[in-house]
């Protein structure tokens, strides 16, 4: 009894796409080859999305899983396995789609609500399996429905809350569900409709004003905001102007607010009544007519010298009767100067500042635009100096000057001159600086500056500052007479000179040793210096050089020269005579000794 599985396949009747509620059969068929005809028992198992849904044992090659009424939850991938006498065979999966969804059920937690309350709805698809997508629809009377949708990945129902707004009277709700199958959307029909009746917790507020029209600055204006409510607890009435709360009351049916009308009170007013989540508003526009225009402050002069007379006058165009005051602006509060229409005073520098005036009619006070008054003291004669001290500069280096004027009202205008040429103009309070970066030997060296401000006296000019240009020392050299060899005890002249450099020049002559020794130093208003050394000695033999410098503080060093001190000629003669005398004496003694020896021999 030999057999083998040729194939196992799964079939769907009537098709793989079935309408919701229609009958459906899942058939598992095994194709088997046998060596002879013999009875064989088969174990059939059918899976949907890897979950066991049907099992049976049969001696036939087919097994049927009957679904009398297909649901959308029956959608999925089906496959089966057949086992016979220790042999098992699997089918390939087949996708089944049950189109259409069951009708959802919509329930509400209440049938009647007040404005501001919340309606809680539940939409359920009891015969469907998640993930699902639920949409709720809210429909007002004679309006288009508004949808609110939300996913439900793990349950077959969804809950939503809808706040009841002002103007909602009768609300109708329904819902529907969706699901995604093979990248296509399947949508259910609409649920049952649920009607919600809405009652007002309070009526729309009433806002009235007294007077109702023709409000003029200075009038007493009163606002009254009122409503009628089902219950007064937790009710609040608020009066606003341009989002600013003017007054509010709680647990009362009306609000009153009064004030003296000004132009600033023109605008839109809002009366708002709130209770819980319910809100109702009423708007009103108020236009306040101008009683009188803002005053204008006029000055006889806005820029004047100290000790001059200043007149300030306050006027209202087309209006005469008012209480006027003239004030001076101050950071700590305006300072009243005079309760009058005009003010005349003799000014000094401390009177510089901003001035305004006010006018009062029927309790309404208006202020003019500020007028700036500048009082000027004359500038003092400026002083011009070099930054750093002495009026001198090294050739090629920059020269920085400062012009300083102690007295006078700022701002001041400083002008720098080189010769008669204007080089720079600076505006500052008390001083200004100028940098001359191009100093040449043949420049005009007279500098001056002037200072001025808005005082009528005009400008003041400094004294001329003459600046000395210091030429650095260049080309130092050292020579001697005699040069090279010098007799011991003789006189030697050393000459240290420079090619150029401003006087005075400091000359220094050094002899080289382990530590160079300064042997001569002198400052001269000349380009050279001569040093006479009266007596040269043997220890004066060595190498000499000189260094030269001036106020440019740049040392210039010469090439070195070598001096050798030798014996004087007369000293050489004495030594020679002494040596010859000794040699003559030695010769005479030798002759005498030779003569004596010869005489004894005879």
């Amino acid at each position: 009894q030999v057999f083998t599985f040729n194939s196992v396949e799964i079939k769907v009747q009537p098709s793989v796409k079935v309408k919701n509620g229609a009958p459906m059969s899942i058939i598992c068929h095994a194709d088997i080859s046998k060596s002879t005809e013999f009875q064989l028992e088969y174990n059939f198992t059918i899976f949907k999305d890897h979950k066991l849904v049907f099992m049976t044992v049969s001696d036939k090659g087919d097994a049927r899983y009957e679904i009398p009424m297909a649901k959308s939850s029956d959608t999925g991938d089906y496959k089966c396995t057949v086992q016979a006498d220790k042999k098992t065979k699997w089918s390939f999966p087949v996708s089944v789609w049950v189109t259409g969804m069951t009708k959802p059920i919509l329930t509400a937690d209440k049938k009647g609500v007040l404005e501001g309350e919340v309606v809680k709805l539940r939409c359920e698809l009891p015969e469907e399996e998640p993930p699902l997508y639920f949409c709720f629809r809210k429909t007002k009377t004679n309006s288009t429905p508004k949808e609110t949708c939300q996913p439900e990945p793990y349950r077959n129902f969804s809950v939503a809350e809808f706040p009841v707004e002002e103007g909602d009277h009768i609300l109708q709700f329904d819902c529907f569900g969706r699901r995604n199958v093979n990248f296509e959307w399947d949508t259910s029909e609409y649920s049952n409709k649920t009607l919600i009746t809405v009652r007002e917790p309070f009526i729309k507020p009433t806002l009235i004003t007294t007077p109702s029209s023709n409000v003029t600055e200075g009038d007493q204006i009163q606002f009254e905001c009122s409503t009628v409510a089902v219950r007064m607890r937790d009710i609040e009435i608020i009066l606003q102007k341009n989002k600013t709360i003017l007054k509010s009351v709680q647990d009362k049916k009306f609000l009153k607010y009064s004030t003296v009308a000004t132009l600033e009170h023109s605008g839109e007013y809002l009366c708002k009544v709130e209770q819980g989540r319910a809100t109702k508003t009423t708007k009103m526009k108020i236009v306040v007519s101008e009683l009188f225009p803002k005053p204008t402050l006029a000055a006889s002069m806005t820029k004047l010298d100290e000790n001059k007379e200043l007149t300030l006058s306050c006027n209202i165009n087309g209006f005469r009767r008012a209480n006027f005051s003239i004030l001076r602006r101050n950071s700590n509060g305006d300072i009243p100067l005079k309760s009058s229409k005009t003010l005349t005073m003799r000014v000094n520098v401390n009177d510089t500042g901003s001035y305004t005036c006010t006018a009062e009619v029927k309790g309404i006070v208006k202020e003019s635009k500020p007028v700036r008054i500048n009082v000027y003291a004359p500038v003092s004669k400026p002083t011009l100096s070099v930054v750093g001290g002495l009026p001198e500069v090294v050739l090629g280096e920059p020269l920085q000057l400062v012009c300083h004027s102690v007295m006078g009202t700022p701002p001041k205008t400083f002008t720098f001159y080189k010769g008669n040429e204007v080089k720079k103009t600076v505006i500052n309070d008390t001083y200004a600086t100028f940098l001359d970066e191009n100093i040449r030997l043949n420049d005009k060296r007279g500098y001056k500056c002037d200072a001025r401000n808005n005082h009528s006296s005009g400008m003041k000019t400094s004294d001329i500052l003459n600046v000395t240009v210091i030429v650095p020392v260049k080309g130092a050299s050292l020579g001697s007479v005699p040069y090279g060899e010098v007799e011991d005890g003789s006189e030697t002249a050393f000459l240290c000179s420079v090619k150029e450099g401003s006087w005075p020049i400091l000359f220094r002559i050094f002899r080289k040793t382990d530590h160079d020794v300064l042997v001569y130093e002198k400052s001269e208003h000349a380009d050279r210096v001569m040093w006479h050394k009266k007596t040269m000695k043997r220890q004066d033999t060595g190498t000499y050089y000189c260094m030269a410098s001036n106020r440019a503080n740049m040392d210039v060093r010469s090439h070195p020269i070598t001096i050798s001190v030798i014996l004087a000629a007369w000293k050489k003669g004495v030594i020679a005579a002494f040596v010859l005398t000794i040699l003559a004496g030695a010769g005479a003694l030798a002759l005498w000794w030779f003569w004596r020896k010869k005489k004894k021999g005879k």
Side-chain angles (χ1 to χ4, degrees):
Q1 296 180 347
V2 179
F3 75 95
T4 182
F5 284 105
N6 295 320
S7 65
V8 173
E9 62 179 349
I10 198 162
K11 299 178 181 179
V12 182
Q13 290 182 352
S15 70
V16 293
K17 196 170 185 180
V18 183
K19 288 186 178 181
N20 198 308
M24 180 175 68
S25 297
I26 309 296
I27 303 168
C28 183
H29 172 70
D31 183 10
I32 301 172
S33 294
K34 301 178 182 178
S35 60
T36 59
E37 280 299 324
F38 59 89
Q39 197 72 21
L40 192 62
E41 188 176 79
Y42 306 100
N43 290 317
F44 292 91
T45 308
I46 298 177
F47 297 87
K48 172 185 159 297
D49 296 332
H50 306 290
K51 294 180 181 179
L52 176 65
V53 293
F54 179 75
M55 288 182 67
T56 187
V57 178
S58 174
D59 57 357
K60 296 181 180 179
D62 295 300
R64 298 176 68 91
Y65 170 41
E66 299 288 351
I67 301 175
M69 294 180 62
K71 305 174 185 176
S72 58
S73 59
D74 294 323
T75 297
D77 292 334
Y78 288 83
K79 62 181 178 179
C80 69
T81 179
V82 182
Q83 183 179 4
D85 194 19
K86 299 181 182 181
K87 290 185 178 183
T88 304
K89 184 73 173 179
W90 286 83
S91 71
F92 290 106
V94 173
S95 293
V96 177
W97 182 7
V98 179
T99 62
M101 299 174 67
T102 55
K103 184 177 180 179
I105 301 170
L106 179 67
T107 56
D109 64 337
K110 58 186 75 172
K111 296 295 183 182
V113 293
L114 293 174
E115 287 180 1
E117 292 184 343
V118 174
V119 177
K120 190 174 182 180
L121 302 174
R122 175 188 172 106
C123 185
E124 185 176 6
L125 287 164
E127 297 182 9
E128 306 295 339
E129 292 183 359
L132 297 169
Y133 199 75
F134 288 89
C135 292
F136 295 84
R137 296 200 310 169
K138 174 185 175 182
T139 307
K140 296 182 181 181
T141 306
N142 299 324
S143 64
T144 305
K146 293 183 179 180
E147 283 188 8
T148 300
C149 298
Q150 54 197 37
E152 291 292 347
Y154 306 113
R155 58 187 188 180
N156 61 357
F157 68 91
S158 184
V159 177
E161 292 185 349
F162 289 86
V164 180
E165 303 168 351
E166 180 185 358
D168 293 346
H169 298 299
I170 298 177
L171 298 177
Q172 178 181 284
F173 294 94
D174 58 11
C175 69
F176 62 91
R178 286 179 177 175
R179 62 174 180 164
N180 191 289
V181 180
N182 295 331
F183 304 103
E184 292 187 38
W185 283 103
D186 205 356
T187 305
S188 74
E189 60 180 302
Y190 292 111
S191 70
N192 55 297
K193 298 186 185 300
T194 299
L195 294 177
I196 306 294
T197 56
V198 181
R199 294 179 294 123
E200 288 184 310
F202 50 85
I203 65 171
K204 186 174 181 178
T206 301
L207 178 61
I208 58 175
T209 62
T210 305
S212 59
S213 60
N214 298 326
V215 181
T216 306
E217 283 183 305
D219 292 347
Q220 189 77 19
I221 183 171
Q222 179 171 294
F223 297 86
E224 184 172 326
C225 182
S226 60
T227 187
V228 176
V230 175
R231 56 182 176 84
M232 297 305 301
R233 185 180 177 183
D234 298 329
I235 197 167
E236 185 175 18
I237 303 176
I238 301 171
L239 180 64
Q240 289 179 265
K241 177 183 181 290
N242 299 332
K243 298 183 181 180
T244 301
I245 297 176
L246 303 177
K247 190 176 180 180
S248 67
V249 296
Q250 291 183 336
D251 302 332
K252 292 183 180 180
K253 291 184 179 181
F254 64 89
L255 172 151
K256 288 185 178 181
Y257 172 76
S258 62
T259 185
V260 176
T262 65
L263 287 180
E264 286 73 23
H265 289 112
S266 295
E268 186 175 76
Y269 289 79
L270 177 71
C271 176
K272 181 186 290 186
V273 180
E274 296 178 344
Q275 189 177 47
R277 298 186 182 184
T279 301
K280 293 189 178 184
T281 60
T282 298
K283 295 180 181 180
M284 176 183 287
K285 282 190 176 181
I286 298 294
V287 177
V288 178
S289 301
E290 187 176 58
L291 178 62
F292 64 96
K294 284 186 177 183
T296 302
L297 180 65
S300 57
M301 288 186 293
T302 57
K303 295 181 180 180
L304 65 164
D305 298 345
E306 61 180 353
N307 297 322
K308 294 286 186 179
E309 194 173 83
L310 171 67
T311 300
L312 300 173
S313 59
C314 190
N315 295 289
I316 300 175
N317 187 21
F319 209 92
R320 294 185 179 180
R321 293 185 178 181
N323 295 323
F324 294 97
S325 294
I326 297 177
L327 308 93
R328 179 177 176 181
R329 284 279 180 90
N330 187 279
S331 58
N332 297 322
D334 293 350
I335 302 172
L337 300 179
K338 190 176 182 181
S339 296
S340 174
K341 190 174 183 179
T342 60
L343 169 65
T344 300
M345 61 181 182
R346 193 166 295 278
V347 296
N348 57 48
V349 174
N350 294 329
D351 293 322
T352 294
S354 294
Y355 294 79
T356 62
C357 72
T358 60
E360 179 190 359
V361 178
K362 292 177 64 176
I364 301 299
V365 179
K366 294 187 179 182
E367 187 176 8
S368 69
K369 291 183 178 180
V371 175
R372 178 74 183 179
I373 302 297
N374 292 302
V375 181
Y376 294 94
V379 296
S380 58
K381 181 180 178 179
T383 58
L384 183 64
S385 59
V386 176
V387 175
L390 297 174
E392 58 186 28
V393 62
V394 177
L395 181 66
E397 292 187 2
L399 172 68
Q400 189 170 22
L401 303 174
V402 59
C403 184
H404 194 276
S405 177
V406 179
M407 306 299 292
T409 305
K412 303 172 188 176
T413 301
F414 296 90
T415 304
F416 290 89
Y417 299 86
K418 186 176 183 180
N420 293 320
E421 181 184 358
V422 176
K423 302 301 287 186
K424 187 178 181 182
T425 300
V426 181
I427 298 176
N428 206 345
D429 289 349
T430 56
Y431 71 94
T433 59
F434 166 63
L435 184 66
D436 190 353
E437 296 181 306
N438 189 19
I439 302 295
R440 292 172 295 187
L441 191 59
N442 56 352
D443 276 354
K444 293 180 180 178
R445 302 176 188 178
Y447 293 88
K448 65 179 179 179
C449 71
D450 60 46
R452 67 179 185 277
N453 61 1
N454 287 320
H455 194 274
S456 60
S457 61
M459 70 174 64
K460 302 287 178 64
T461 304
S462 70
D463 294 331
I464 294 176
L465 176 66
N466 290 311
V467 177
T468 301
V469 178
I470 300 172
V471 179
V473 173
K474 290 183 181 180
S477 63
L478 177 64
S480 67
V481 178
Y483 184 79
E485 293 184 348
V486 180
E487 289 186 353
D488 185 16
S490 66
E491 180 181 346
T492 301
F494 291 87
L495 177 64
C496 183
S497 62
V498 296
K499 290 183 178 180
E500 63 178 38
S502 297
W503 301 344
I505 299 175
L506 176 64
F507 295 94
R508 290 174 293 169
I509 300 176
F510 294 86
R511 186 177 75 248
K512 279 191 173 184
T513 60
D514 293 339
H515 301 286
D516 292 359
V517 178
L518 176 65
V519 296
Y520 182 76
E521 181 180 39
K522 190 175 183 182
S523 179
E524 286 281 359
H525 282 76
D527 60 358
R528 62 193 64 203
V529 69
M530 182 75 77
W531 174 42
H532 293 274
K533 184 169 177 56
K534 297 296 184 181
T535 304
M536 295 293 288
K537 298 179 181 179
R538 295 293 296 273
Q539 59 265 33
D540 293 328
T541 295
T543 301
Y544 291 79
Y545 65 90
C546 78
M547 295 186 70
S549 63
N550 59 7
R551 294 195 304 278
N553 296 321
M554 295 173 61
D555 290 333
V556 178
R557 181 170 175 169
S558 71
H559 290 294
I561 62 173
T562 301
I563 302 294
S564 298
V565 180
I566 60 176
L567 286 174
W570 67 270
K571 287 185 178 181
K572 291 181 182 179
V574 171
I575 293 171
F578 178 74
V579 171
L580 290 173
T581 302
I582 292 174
L583 289 174
L589 184 61
L591 288 171
W592 178 80
W593 179 80
F594 179 75
W595 180 78
R596 286 287 304 267
K597 188 175 180 182
K598 186 177 181 183
K599 188 176 180 182
K600 284 181 180 181
K602 288 181 177 182

